[in-house]
Structures are given as structure tokens and as C-alpha cells.
DNA sequence: GTCTATAGGACGATAGAC
DNA sequence: GTCTATCGTCCTATAGAC
């Protein structure tokens, strides 16, 4: 394996965390360098297009991580109601363990950059679509009609993102918990 | 009436719009002054505590506007399913008329400031609670049991906020429309 | 690949005249 | 109530040595 990639990876890992918690504009490149412990001079070597490129690659790491959580969570039960409920509750638990201050995965970058960088907006959109398709796929494979599964995938994704946003703002995972509780009703 | 308040009001009105579209950190005080057409020297006279105070008062204006939309929308039909569905569809229509670029009302400030200003976080939280209580109240007054109405108020609010976030990021009101479509299922 | 130094600009905030 | 000038700080980005 390439040990040489570890500097770039350290930068991306720190950037992902900071962008998610603080947002795009509030996170400076200096802070990323300092907190990552990466060599100060290496940023523009690894990311020649600057902050936007760094944000893009960081976002993709974050999005892949979340998607993996979703896909793996959905595999744990064949019953989609139980699977989705457990997934959201697991996310709520993780969120609580971060002191309800872990930020909102994709949203923090999406809100700040969608109107100023088509590239970043597009990456956020792709991330959201991948989430909703994971839900849709689960519903289809458990026998739901495709059209209905697509509708529900979008709705469940909306609920999840909204509940994350509310839980973060309130510093309380209650919205996530409440949304999980409505899944049986929604999938009736 | 006091014609003298018009300068402060102009500043707040412009700030509300810009904070909502661009976010907190991306919106400079200079831009607010320039676009509002307000006298340049008057900002720190009207808002001695600076940007944070301006954001706070702007947020309250935005939140009151949204709450009014919700309350008035919910009054238009006695059937809560129809009322909520129409409300969300009206919001989707308004969003489309802004070219799907109108920003996400409270979220843009909530995400950027919740961890750096307890005052602003608290104002965002109050705004969200007022929204969810409007839904809950509507459900109670149409005969739903209180405990269930509270749960649903939170869930509907989550769906709405999430759908706004997704619609904004995708530049397409589809998530808002899909969420509206699920209301009958949720309230079954 | 890494480092230092710095350019060049924007920002929030303040002081003091009017 | 308004205005101008300015301070100090932060930012992104670049140039050039090593």
C-alpha cells in the first residue's frame, strides 16, 4: 500500500469533519492544516484547485460514509419497516454520542455552496440521490411497486435529512427518534 | 406612524433575504448596506451588537413570516390532510416561482451558527418549535389525541424542512411535492 | 513533496466629525 | 442619526527556496 497517500488522506479526513460541523465558509484552510497535523506546504500541492476541490473530495468521503451506513443498516433486516427504523435509531444513537453536535452530513455544504458552485451543488445532489435510491431499492426488493417505492424513498430521505437538521439545531435527538417512530405508518 | 423606522426595517429586510439565500458567513455587512440602500453609517447605530444582533432580528422576521404562512395555510380547510397538503404545495409553488433558488428559511442560519452562538441557536430552535406546534395544534383541534398530534407535528415539520433542503440542493421542487403526497398516508 | 513568506483583498468593528 | 476613515484580523492563493 502507498504510505505516501496518508498526508492527503489526513487533510481530507480533517476537512470532512470541519466542513460538516462548522460549514464551508467558517472553515479556513489554515484551520484544516493545523488540526490535521499535515505539512503546511502541501495543501495546494494535493489540491491545486484550492478550497473548492478540497471541499468536493471531502464531501465525497462524507457521502460515501453515510451511504455505507444506510446500505449496511438496511441489510440487517429483511423487513423494510424494521430495517429503516433501526437504521434511523442507530443514527440517532451515534448523534447522541457526539453530544448532538456532530453536524449534519451533506447539508452544511449543500446550503452554503449550491448557489456559488455548480460542481459542489452537483456533488451534493448526487449524494442525496444515492441515499434515496438505497431506500427505494430496499422497498422494491421487499415487494413494493416501483412507482410507490420511488415516492417513499424521496419522502423517507426528506424526513431523515429534516430530522437531522432539527436535532442538530435543538441539540436533542428527539426529531430523529420521532421520525423513526412514524416509519411503520408511512409504509403501512 | 414612525417614518424613522424605515431605515432599520430596510436593513432587516435585505439582511433576511441575503442570510437566507447565501448563509451567515457568506453575507457581509457591506453587501447588506449596499443592497438595502440604507445609509452606510447607520448599521452599528441600529444594531450596536453587530452582525449577531442583525442576524437575530432578521431571523425573527423570517420565522414570523414562515409561521404566518403555516398558520394561515392551515386555516384554509377544516380537514387537516387537505390543509397540510395544500400548504406544502403552496410552498412548493412559491419556491418554483423563485426559480428554486430562494434558500431554506431558517436552516441556513441554524446550520452555520448553532455551535457558535447560543443566542442564535435558541432563536432557530424557537422558530422550529413554533412551526411544529402549529401543525400539532391543527391536528388536536381536528380531534386527534394529543400525544399522537405532538409526534406527528414533529414528523411533519421534519419532512417539510428536509424536503426544502433537498429541493433547494437539487434545484427542483419534486421533494416538496412528494412529501405533500405522503401526508394522507401519515395521517391515515 | 514540503516549506516560508507574502501578496491582495474582504471582513467586522471602532472612533470621531458632523 | 449619519458618515468617513481606518484599524486589525482573517482569508485564499501564489511565488520561489529547499
Amino acid at each position: 500500500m502507498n504510505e505516501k497517500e496518508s498526508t492527503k488522506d489526513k487533510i481530507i479526513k480533517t476537512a470532512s469533519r470541519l466542513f460538516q460541523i462548522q460549514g464551508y465558509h467558517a472553515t479556513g484552510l489554515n484551520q484544516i492544516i493545523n488540526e490535521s497535523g499535515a505539512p503546511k506546504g502541501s495543501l495546494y500541492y494535493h489540491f491545486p484547485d484550492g478550497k473548492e476541490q478540497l471541499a468536493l473530495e471531502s464531501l465525497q468521503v462524507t457521502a460515501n460514509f453515510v451511504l455505507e451506513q444506510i446500505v449496511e443498516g438496511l441489510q440487517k433486516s429483511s423487513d423494510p419497516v424494521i430495517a429503516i427504523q433501526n437504521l434511523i435509531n442507530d443514527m440517532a444513537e451515534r448523534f447522541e454520542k457526539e453530544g448532538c453536535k456532530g453536524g449534519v452530513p451533506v447539508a452544511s455544504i449543500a446550503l452554503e455552496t449550491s448557489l456559488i458552485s455548480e460542481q459542489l451543488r452537483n456533488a451534493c445532489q448526487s449524494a442525496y440521490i444515492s441515499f434515496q435510491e438505497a431506500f427505494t431499492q430496499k422497498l422494491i426488493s421487499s415487494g413494493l411497486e416501483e412507482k410507490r417505492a420511488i415516492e417513499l424513498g424521496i419522502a423517507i430521505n426528506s424526513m431523515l435529512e429534516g430530522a437531522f437538521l432539527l436535532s442538530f439545531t435543538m441539540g436533542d435527538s428527539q426529531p430523529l427518534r420521532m421520525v423513526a417512530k412514524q416509519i411503520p405508518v408511512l409504509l403501512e
Side-chain angles (χ1 to χ4, degrees), chain A:
Chain A
M1 278 304 264
N2 349 1
E3 201 70 38
K4 68 176 181 202
E5 279 197 334
S6 74
T7 287
K8 186 173 183 182
D9 286 347
K10 264 197 294 189
I11 295 176
I12 289 186
K13 198 177 157 192
T14 303
S16 300
R17 199 186 79 244
L18 291 175
F19 281 140
Q20 182 171 314
I21 295 175
Q22 304 179 338
Y24 183 78
H25 290 97
T27 302
L29 299 181
N30 291 334
Q31 189 187 10
I32 293 172
I33 287 300
N34 288 336
E35 294 202 16
S36 71
K40 298 194 180 183
S42 59
L43 207 154
Y44 278 90
Y45 173 78
H46 292 293
F47 305 93
D49 288 342
K51 191 177 188 179
E52 189 173 342
Q53 184 189 354
L54 175 55
L56 183 66
E57 297 196 29
S58 302
L59 178 73
Q60 281 158 354
V61 167
T62 301
N64 281 340
F65 177 77
V66 175
L67 179 60
E68 216 168 274
Q69 258 186 268
I70 294 176
V71 169
E72 281 180 12
L74 290 181
Q75 281 172 347
K76 286 184 185 165
S77 172
S78 60
D79 180 350
V81 171
I82 293 177
I84 294 173
Q85 249 182 332
N86 284 346
L87 169 63
I88 296 176
N89 278 319
D90 285 351
M91 285 177 157
E93 198 170 330
R94 187 174 319 218
F95 185 73
E96 287 160 8
K97 277 186 184 147
E98 292 163 335
C100 301
K101 292 180 159 56
V104 185
V106 178
S108 49
I109 290 192
L111 272 180
E112 287 188 63
T113 68
S114 285
L115 294 183
I116 60 174
S117 162
E118 179 60 15
Q119 199 177 190
L120 281 170
R121 188 200 67 76
N122 212 43
C124 294
Q125 173 170 286
S126 297
Y128 283 137
I129 289 177
S130 75
F131 302 163
Q132 95 190 15
E133 278 181 350
F135 290 116
T136 295
Q137 211 47 52
K138 177 71 179 177
L139 294 171
I140 288 177
S141 73
S142 64
L144 230 76
E145 181 211 357
E146 185 179 353
K147 192 158 170 292
R148 177 87 188 115
I150 291 175
E151 273 180 33
L152 279 173
I154 295 172
I156 292 170
N157 199 36
S158 293
M159 277 181 107
L160 180 59
E161 298 301 320
F164 250 118
L165 172 63
L166 293 175
S167 293
F168 174 73
T169 304
M170 304 196 179
D172 181 347
S173 62
Q174 189 206 25
L176 280 164
R177 299 288 185 186
M178 281 300 147
V179 156
K181 214 172 165 188
Q182 307 313 315
I183 295 296
V185 181
L186 204 58
L187 303 196
E188 54 181 2

